[in-house]
Amino acid sequence: MMHFLLLFSRQGKLRLQKWFLPLPERDRKKIVKDMTTMVLARKPRTCNFMHWKDLKIVYKRYASLYFCCGLENQDNELLALEILHRYVELLDKYFGNVCELDIIFNFEKAYFILDEFLMGGEIQETSKQSIAKSIEASDMLQETMEEYMSKPAF
Amino acid sequence: MPAVSKGDGMRGLAVFISDIRNCKSKEAEIKRINKELANIRSKFKGDKALDGYSKKKYVCKLLFIFLLGHDIDFGHMEAVNLLSSNKYTEKQIGYLFISVLVNSNSELIRLINNAIKNDLSSRNPTFMCLALHCIANVGSREMAEAFAGEIPRILVAGDTMDSVKQSAALCLLRLYKTSPDLVLMGEWTSRVVHLLNDQHMGVVTAAISLITCLSQKNPDEFKTCVSLAVSRLSRIVSSASTDLQDYTYYFVPAPWLSCKLLRLLQCYPPPEDGAVKGRLVECLETILNKAQEPPKSKKVQHSNAKNAILFEAISLIIHYDSEPNLLVRACNQLGQFLQHRETNLRYLALESMCTLASSEFSHEAVKTHIETVINALKTERDVSVRQRAADLLYAMCDRSNAKQIVAEMLSYLETADYSIREEMVLKVAILAEKYAVDYSWYVDTILNLIRIAGDYVSEEVWYRVIQIVINRDDVQGYAAKTVFEALQAPACHENMVKVGGYILGEFGNLIAGDPRSSPLVQFNLLHSKFHLCSVPTRALLLSAYIKFINLFPETKSTIQEVLRSDSQIRNSDVELQQRAVEYLKLSSIASTDVLATVLEEMPPFPERESSILAKLKKKKGPGAVSVNELEEGKREGGELNGGGGERGGDNSTIAASNASTPSPSADLLGLRTGPQVSAAPPSAGSLLVDVFSEAGVNDDGFLSSAPPSAVSEDAAPPLPESNELLNKFVCKNNGVLFENQLLQIGIKSEYRQNLGRMYLFYGNKTSVQFVTFTTTVSCPGELHPQLNVQAKPVEPLIEGGAQVQQVINIECLGDFCEAPLLNIKFRYGGALQNLSLKLPVTINKFFQPTEMASHDFFQRWKQLSQPQQEAQKIFKASHAMDTEVIKAKLLGLGMALLENVDPNPENFVCAGVIQTKAQQVGSLLRLEPNAQAQMYRLTLRSSKDTVSKRLCELLAEQF
């Protein structure tokens, strides 16, 4: 199972963190720090896998964002790369040509999309269509437009 | 700011996020956040009831602030309120907040569980999924207690929607991992297994993770899954790339499900049913065949998905380890990947081949790739790939190629990345030992290892070479000759001096016939290194010298002169001083016979598991070294060299030193076996701790501390001089802590990271027994949560003239200022003695020295420029201002003494990091002596104000 998924920028700014195991805040911060320093220090065209403690680390860069996850020993690295890719595709499909700013400003959506795809660090659904359909359905459940427009901004 | 593309945007949130992004500095960001927090707090506290939308918006802002890395201590209640909203988006945000900021507040958990319960029974699939996600995200024991019974029912119910089934399966898996005792599958087992046949691929994909985990734990109950998994796999493997519609990923049919199926099968042995097995072998062959077909797409996603299945199939083939044909095909396939242009594939092929190398069917096939792997070790640009290549060389090594592989690894070591050197050294040492046919090769290899990578040669490695040389007399002469030659090098590593000292001390006589290596030449060679070595090595050399006196009587007078010199016999280190005194005495009073008996050649070491292998296992974590390999290691170790014990290295085990206190290096050995430093047996007449008297406690000083008159059973208050006693030990770890006319307390301590171990030696100076001798160690007041001190029980009876030892383990949890109290009570001639002292545990004991260049030092110095981070004292010198003494004290403090950093050479600067369990506190020190005024100015800067202050106080008393 996947232990965590982190999205961070070229500058090491964390954009999204998903923890599939309960960890104390201190350990999380340590992992984030280790991951950003390790991954950002990698030279271009090196392989996408590393060992870190007893975890396998798989990462990939998409434009300005690094997607990085920690796996258990028996997990498949190549497939993890494709999990990252499929998540990017899902974000792309939802936001339309997704960029880092979309994830910053709509972080809650990025979490919701991830929740449709992974749960407890395991794959829940791989079909792009099914996931898109459930996201669509939940968006349909929002308040009516009138309700929305009448809300104060602050 | 981008327009919110879809969904219901929260304008206030977007504005806030954009404000944060526009903040120019960290301070501005914190200011903006505090303003927002105050705003939200007032809204939540206000009289006006908030509508759902506002509540959602504010909860979402709090979540954002938390994810930026700030603490959030309110808003949980509002989030819980959102859970019971009818509006989906509000509920969703409520659940997200709860999932991210779990709170163990039991009151809230009850409310959350109630909301979840309502949603689970709502029959609204969207709400049910939200609730299941929340359970999986929090995954706490309380939640398992509340829902572990309900979820299996949802999972197998006929009318549950597919999407809910998927969530239920993974939610149950999460709970099973948290609290396996609460998840009882029993009656559901067969229906869960049959989810493998579900029509919906998504359901199968989710369910198989659950089934795999359950099968690992209860293989028998779930074994029916094997045939179901094989038939499902077979259907996928034989399907055309379009059959599975959206479950085909870049022309690869259901890669995730395929891999999961192959992984599930690895929980079981090969199927017994011939038909099932045949079908499975067919699947595996098809997968191997597909690897040879031209790719259906040039996209990397296609090849990744396809190869993911291939690697998983190979793992299964290796797991079965019963189909030679498939094993060899797998090996050939991996061999192709070894030269693939994709770095990822080369990496995985090396990794996968490592496991293949341990199979008897494929070991030979793996060996044919040796040249490619060696080439990878030399030419790969990526260190992680080189590391895998080194692992594979280690795995494929056997007697036929050991010399080649060890030579390649040695030459790689010269340029290897620092991060992997220590592991490489261990591997070379293990291979050299395991496959040594002639032991001169082994000795050469280890000495080369020390020469090339001496800093990375851990103690286990050089202990081991000594154990082997001691146990095999055919190699002793060669070892003595080689080590003698190696020591001729003008600069040789300290580890080489250790090995040299030990071996020449034992077997120097074997080469003494040659005038070029006559006894005196050997001695002079060793002694020329003496002054450059650390204390433990010097101690070892002193033992080698006394052995020389026995081996070569003609060196006696030269060596006695060395022992007698002030730098030995008055050495400030107690261990060295003690050895010098005892060896000198031993050599002058003992007859030749006695000397020969006491200093006899070391007996062979008892056979045990190689300590190096144990070290490698520890380093790589359990499972890194296969059981197979361990057993082999043991077997070969036994047969070839008579093995070696865990004792090694230090000659302090010679009989002569049985009257000495345990040496520091013996303690290091003890790390593997636990603290087993035996208390020194009481020797007749003199007190053992007498040798500590360098500590400056003069014998008549006891008048200053009147005999304790307190007769109360309560612990006495600390002695008035205990602060002074404490200060004596700031810069040193060993010495006499306390002495009066009854009792002497000696102390030895060692620290490592945030842990410390202290040995207290209680000596009875009288000729009368001490009875009901008890000691208690306590951490008064604030110290309690900062320091964890555990004292081992001590003997309740101390005979007249005898000594007992007590071990105290110390763990530093946080930084601290006070010292723990030691209370001692005993009866002497019927009168109760009761005294309390401060144990010399000060915050500086947990320093790790940090070396840094001048530039870095001043940069850090500037970073720590807030006024409270600095502590400064100007004080009069209370001792002579001798540079060497000051240096020695600063080193004793535990920091690194940095040379050429301060522009003024008279000044001293140091750097170190205090290791506590809770945090690390970096500290910098600058000491400016003014010889004319006989004054010092001491400045400390640390990331924590209390630390600067405390260190400054402690140190100001030292100079």
Side-chain angles (χ1 to χ4, degrees):
Chain A
M1 81 178 261
M2 191 182 279
H3 283 206
F4 57 80
L5 172 69
L6 304 174
L7 270 62
F8 48 85
S9 68
R10 187 84 202 103
Q11 292 74 35
K13 281 246 183 206
L14 192 59
R15 295 305 184 201
L16 186 129
Q17 44 175 319
K18 179 77 185 179
W19 306 91
F20 296 108
L21 282 178
L23 281 177
E25 190 57 25
R26 203 165 62 95
D27 296 0
R28 293 182 180 188
K29 287 199 166 133
K30 170 93 171 75
I31 292 176
V32 170
K33 197 167 145 258
D34 283 5
M35 288 307 122
T36 45
T37 32
M38 272 170 61
V39 170
L40 292 176
R42 300 275 292 170
K43 297 199 187 84
R45 273 176 296 135
T46 46
C47 76
N48 299 83
F49 317 131
M50 285 180 292
H51 278 216
W52 180 81
K53 304 214 166 146
D54 48 0
L55 294 184
K56 290 175 172 174
I57 307 300
V58 174
Y59 70 94
K60 185 158 180 175
R61 180 175 170 179
Y62 286 91
S64 60
L65 266 193
Y66 281 90
F67 288 64
C68 166
C69 60
L71 308 174
E72 282 172 0
N73 214 12
Q74 71 265 23
D75 292 329
N76 192 310
E77 290 104 327
L78 286 174
L79 219 44
L81 268 182
E82 296 320 302
I83 290 181
L84 299 182
H85 187 73
R86 169 83 354 149
Y87 184 44
V88 173
E89 287 182 345
L90 291 169
L91 291 171
D92 202 60
K93 186 162 175 150
Y94 183 80
F95 288 109
N97 212 353
V98 64
C99 68
E100 194 181 337
L101 282 180
D102 291 322
I103 295 171
I104 297 173
F105 280 95
N106 303 287
F107 68 95
E108 80 282 9
K109 292 288 178 201
Y111 276 103
F112 297 148
I113 295 170
L114 185 61
D115 274 351
E116 293 293 335
F117 178 39
L118 299 178
M119 181 164 170
E122 299 283 359
I123 291 269
Q124 176 173 222
E125 177 57 82
T126 66
S127 156
K128 216 157 51 167
Q129 284 166 13
S130 305
I131 297 175
K133 225 157 61 195
S134 11
I135 303 273
E136 198 77 21
S138 67
D139 273 345
M140 295 296 286
L141 286 169
Q142 69 181 295
E143 298 95 311
T144 62
M145 215 52 190
E146 289 91 332
E147 259 183 317
Y148 172 56
M149 293 308 283
S150 63
K151 297 281 154 57
F154 288 94
Chain B
M1 191 188 95
V4 175
S5 52
K6 279 189 185 178
D8 70 323
M10 287 171 275
R11 207 148 70 83
L13 175 67
V15 170
F16 175 59
I17 295 176
S18 126
D19 278 3
I20 296 286
R21 283 177 55 74
N22 289 335
C23 286
K24 293 277 179 290
S25 64
K26 195 79 196 161
E27 287 71 34
E29 185 186 306
I30 291 173
K31 211 170 140 201
R32 179 66 185 89
I33 284 171
N34 285 338
K35 186 177 149 206
E36 193 61 42
L37 286 174
N39 172 40
I40 300 174
R41 215 184 285 266
S42 76
K43 293 283 195 228
F44 283 168
K45 278 201 184 137
D47 310 324
K48 217 170 69 194
L50 286 177
D51 60 33
Y53 171 81
S54 309
K55 226 183 265 175
K56 175 181 82 169
K57 184 181 68 188
Y58 293 130
V59 165
C60 210
K61 281 182 177 177
L62 286 178
L63 186 57
F64 179 77
I65 293 170
F66 176 78
L67 291 169
L68 277 179
H70 301 270
D71 288 338
I72 295 297
D73 54 6
F74 68 103
H76 301 81
M77 202 56 200
E78 284 73 13
V80 173
N81 283 341
L82 286 178
L83 297 184
S84 40
S85 164
N86 289 324
K87 294 213 174 70
Y88 177 69
T89 51
E90 290 168 12
K91 194 188 273 290
Q92 200 183 18
I93 293 288
Y95 272 125
L96 180 61
F97 184 93
I98 300 297
S99 304
V100 175
L101 278 119
V102 203
N103 195 309
S104 52
N105 184 324
S106 59
E107 190 60 30
L108 277 181
I109 285 283
R110 256 215 344 264
L111 291 172
I112 296 168
N113 280 356
N114 261 338
I116 292 177
K117 204 163 279 171
N118 287 336
D119 282 336
L120 281 184
S121 51
S122 69
R123 312 191 63 77
N124 174 337
T126 321
F127 287 6
M128 288 172 86
C129 283
L130 275 182
L132 289 167
H133 262 109
C134 182
I135 301 173
N137 275 323
V138 177
S140 66
R141 176 110 193 139
E142 289 92 338
M143 286 202 172
E145 278 165 359
F147 302 110
E150 173 75 0
I151 296 169
R153 207 186 47 73
I154 297 176
L155 176 60
V156 297
D159 58 347
T160 306
M161 298 269 292
D162 288 334
S163 61
V164 178
K165 272 190 193 167
Q166 286 167 277
S167 300
L170 292 176
C171 182
L172 192 58
L173 171 60
R174 185 79 210 92
L175 293 186
Y176 183 75
K177 285 186 175 170
T178 326
S179 319
D181 53 315
L182 294 178
V183 179
L184 304 168
M185 293 312 293
E187 47 183 319
W188 311 116
T189 304
S190 112
R191 296 174 73 180
V192 169
V193 171
H194 275 89
L195 287 172
L196 287 176
N197 270 340
D198 201 285
Q199 289 197 323
H200 190 282
M201 293 284 273
V203 171
V204 192
T205 309
I208 195 166
S209 295
L210 172 67
I211 296 169
T212 306
C213 179
L214 292 169
S215 301
Q216 276 164 348
K217 300 281 159 54
N218 327 283
D220 284 342
E221 289 164 51
F222 282 82
K223 66 168 178 267
T224 48
C225 71
V226 173
S227 59
L228 291 179
V230 170
S231 63
R232 188 97 214 189
L233 180 69
S234 159
R235 268 180 283 156
I236 297 172
V237 168
S238 56
S239 64
S241 56
T242 48
D243 287 357
L244 302 174
Q245 292 151 359
D246 207 30
Y247 290 92
T248 296
Y249 181 83
Y250 290 86
F251 304 102
V252 181
W256 280 281
L257 182 53
S258 307
C259 283
K260 291 263 172 198
L261 287 164
L262 288 161
R263 172 59 52 192
L264 171 61
L265 291 171
Q266 288 172 61
C267 303
Y268 290 93
E272 283 159 18
D273 181 334
V276 176
K277 189 172 178 191
R279 211 165 167 198
L280 177 57
V281 169
E282 213 170 283
C283 284
L284 295 171
E285 278 171 345
T286 312
I287 294 172
L288 286 167
N289 291 341
K290 278 189 179 170
Q292 301 301 327
E293 290 169 12
K296 293 197 176 69
S297 154
K298 285 209 165 64
K299 288 239 161 81
V300 67
Q301 284 76 28
H302 171 71
S303 68
N304 279 351
K306 192 169 140 184
N307 290 327
I309 301 175
L310 179 60
F311 275 107
E312 210 57 66
I314 291 175
S315 295
L316 182 63
I317 293 170
I318 298 172
H319 167 76
Y320 285 163
D321 198 16
S322 60
E323 299 282 331
N325 174 35
L326 287 176
L327 279 164
V328 170
R329 282 193 67 184
C331 186
N332 291 340
Q333 181 61 54
L334 293 177
Q336 282 183 21
F337 283 152
L338 284 183
Q339 318 223 27
H340 203 280
R341 61 186 167 79
E342 276 272 335
T343 316
N344 286 343
L345 288 181
R346 295 199 301 275
Y347 176 98
L348 293 174
L350 288 165
E351 192 175 58
S352 195
M353 261 202 184
C354 265
T355 36
L356 210 48
S358 58
S359 159
E360 57 172 311
F361 297 114
S362 50
H363 184 80
E364 288 303 315
V366 171
K367 272 168 62 186
T368 59
H369 299 287
I370 186 166
E371 297 302 333
T372 318
V373 182
I374 287 174
N375 199 36
L377 186 66
K378 285 178 175 161
T379 59
E380 281 289 351
R381 290 153 30 121
D382 184 346
V383 55
S384 8
V385 184
R386 290 198 297 272
Q387 166 107 54
R388 295 286 86 77
D391 286 349
L392 178 54
L393 281 181
Y394 178 73
M396 67 161 69
C397 191
D398 62 19
R399 208 169 297 269
S400 72
N401 56 18
K403 283 200 176 173
Q404 184 188 9
I405 286 179
V406 165
E408 292 294 348
M409 286 174 109
L410 268 177
S411 79
Y412 172 61
L413 251 180
E414 303 202 35
T415 53
D417 311 76
Y418 294 105
S419 53
I420 63 175
R421 281 195 185 182
E422 189 184 354
E423 196 186 315
M424 289 286 293
V425 166
L426 289 174
K427 286 183 165 163
V428 170
I430 291 170
L431 292 179
E433 178 187 337
K434 196 163 152 191
Y435 298 116
V437 182
D438 72 284
Y439 274 85
S440 48
W441 174 73
Y442 169 76
V443 169
D444 284 342
T445 303
I446 301 295
L447 293 185
N448 265 329
L449 207 52
I450 295 175
R451 204 173 298 139
I452 293 169
D455 283 344
Y456 300 89
V457 172
S458 56
E459 315 210 286
E460 287 83 354
V461 173
W462 74 262
Y463 290 170
R464 190 70 183 155
V465 68
I466 284 171
Q467 289 166 2
I468 288 175
V469 171
I470 300 260
N471 288 7
R472 298 195 58 94
D473 43 19
D474 54 337
V475 75
Q476 288 161 357
Y478 181 80
K481 179 169 155 283
T482 321
V483 84
F484 176 78
E485 279 160 11
L487 285 174
Q488 309 277 348
C492 57
H493 195 272
E494 191 164 334
N495 281 332
M496 189 71 87
V497 180
K498 290 179 185 164
V499 176
Y502 199 108
I503 291 192
L504 293 180
E506 294 291 325
F507 309 113
N509 55 327
L510 300 176
I511 57 168
D514 187 330
R516 285 166 302 176
S517 52
S518 72
L520 219 49
V521 174
Q522 287 185 36
F523 170 74
N524 286 333
L525 182 61
L526 280 180
H527 198 55
S528 68
K529 316 283 182 194
F530 187 90
H531 300 279
L532 299 169
C533 291
S534 65
V535 168
T537 308
R538 291 188 192 193
L540 185 150
L541 285 178
L542 288 179
S543 299
Y545 296 171
I546 185 72
K547 288 227 156 190
F548 265 50
I549 293 185
N550 175 44
L551 286 179
F552 316 115
E554 66 266 39
T555 61
K556 184 169 171 177
S557 58
T558 318
I559 290 175
Q560 280 184 331
E561 207 163 301
V562 168
L563 293 175
R564 203 177 288 124
S565 72
D566 274 0
S567 62
Q568 308 298 353
I569 211 159
R570 286 174 197 268
N571 195 297
S572 62
D573 185 273
V574 287
E575 182 65 41
L576 293 183
Q577 189 189 64
Q578 180 175 6
R579 287 193 188 206
V581 172
E582 288 176 3
Y583 293 163
L584 182 62
K585 206 75 189 155
L586 179 70
S587 66
S588 19
I589 58 174
S591 70
T592 340
D593 286 352
V594 171
L595 217 52
T597 317
V598 171
L599 300 172
E600 201 179 8
E601 191 179 300
M602 290 294 286
F605 287 91
E607 160 65 10
R608 280 193 219 148
E609 180 193 345
S610 162
S611 50
I612 313 182
L613 211 52
K615 166 117 180 175
L616 186 68
K617 267 189 287 173
K618 206 165 88 186
K619 211 173 147 49
K620 299 274 275 186
V625 184
S626 68
V627 177
N628 186 353
E629 184 177 353
L630 284 179
E631 280 165 359
E632 197 181 344
K634 263 188 215 160
R635 191 178 68 233
E636 304 223 7
E639 143 204 346
L640 284 170
N641 52 50
E646 305 210 340
R647 306 289 301 268
D650 193 327
N651 306 41
S652 68
T653 48
I654 60 172
S657 65
N658 71 354
S660 80
T661 42
S663 76
S665 32
D667 296 344
L668 289 173
L669 282 169
L671 286 178
R672 278 190 312 282
T673 46
Q676 285 197 336
V677 181
S678 56
S683 72
S686 70
L687 268 178
L688 295 175
V689 282
D690 275 351
V691 288
F692 289 132
S693 47
E694 55 92 29
V697 179
N698 45 8
D699 278 352
D700 45 11
F702 58 74
L703 287 176
S704 58
S705 57
S709 52
V711 278
S712 145
E713 287 288 340
D714 293 337
L719 293 175
E721 67 269 31
S722 57
N723 268 333
E724 208 178 298
L725 296 175
L726 183 74
N727 280 330
K728 252 174 40 184
F729 285 88
V730 169
C731 294
K732 64 175 185 179
N733 289 334
N734 307 328
V736 172
L737 175 64
F738 171 79
E739 184 162 19
N740 62 17
Q741 66 270 64
L742 303 177
L743 178 71
Q744 186 193 48
I745 306 174
I747 194 164
K748 274 198 158 206
S749 45
E750 53 193 41
Y751 293 87
R752 164 174 307 215
Q753 308 275 358
N754 69 325
L755 302 176
R757 184 174 297 152
M758 186 178 269
Y759 303 92
L760 291 174
F761 302 92
Y762 303 100
N764 182 348
K765 290 176 72 176
T766 69
S767 51
V768 183
Q769 281 183 345
F770 290 166
V771 291
T772 59
F773 188 87
T774 53
T775 66
T776 36
V777 177
S778 58
C779 290
E782 274 185 344
L783 188 59
H784 179 60
Q786 297 160 341
L787 208 60
N788 178 10
V789 181
Q790 287 176 338
K792 298 271 164 69
V794 65
E795 292 287 319
L797 186 89
I798 311 182
E799 293 291 346
Q803 186 196 49
V804 296
Q805 179 194 288
Q806 181 175 32
V807 180
I808 294 177
N809 289 322
I810 303 153
E811 181 187 23
C812 178
L813 305 172
D815 71 288
F816 61 96
C817 295
E818 290 302 314
L821 289 181
L822 168 69
N823 175 255
I824 301 158
K825 285 192 207 126
F826 59 93
R827 285 187 182 273
Y828 164 68
L832 178 72
Q833 307 290 325
N834 181 353
L835 74 153
S836 291
L837 295 165
K838 288 190 176 175
L839 270 187
V841 181
T842 45
I843 184 70
N844 64 294
K845 300 294 180 195
F846 302 96
F847 257 132
Q848 291 273 99
T850 315
E851 292 292 344
M852 58 178 83
S854 172
H855 170 76
D856 292 336
F857 182 87
F858 283 105
Q859 197 180 0
R860 284 179 208 206
W861 184 264
K862 277 190 208 119
Q863 279 165 1
L864 298 170
S865 57
Q866 288 171 32
Q868 69 272 22
Q869 290 177 326
E870 183 183 279
Q872 192 171 71
K873 255 193 182 153
I874 299 174
F875 53 92
K876 226 172 165 50
S878 39
H879 303 277
M881 294 175 87
D882 180 328
T883 309
E884 288 311 309
V885 174
I886 295 173
K887 274 189 185 170
K889 283 188 176 166
L890 288 172
L891 282 175
L893 183 71
M895 300 175 90
L897 183 59
L898 306 174
E899 305 278 359
N900 305 325
V901 164
D902 200 296
N904 180 354
E906 301 294 313
N907 293 346
F908 302 91
V909 292
C910 302
V913 178
I914 290 179
Q915 309 276 343
T916 77
K917 193 176 181 200
Q919 62 183 141
Q920 304 191 331
V921 185
S923 304
L924 303 174
L925 172 152
R926 192 176 193 202
L927 180 69
E928 299 157 275
N930 181 338
Q932 227 170 3
Q934 286 290 303
M935 301 276 280
Y936 289 100
R937 180 164 71 179
L938 171 68
T939 315
L940 273 140
R941 287 190 176 184
S942 330
S943 47
K944 216 162 163 214
D945 51 350
T946 44
V947 172
S948 303
K949 204 163 140 270
R950 180 60 180 158
L951 285 172
C952 196
E953 281 167 15
L954 286 171
L955 266 182
E957 301 296 324
Q958 302 299 317
F959 298 101

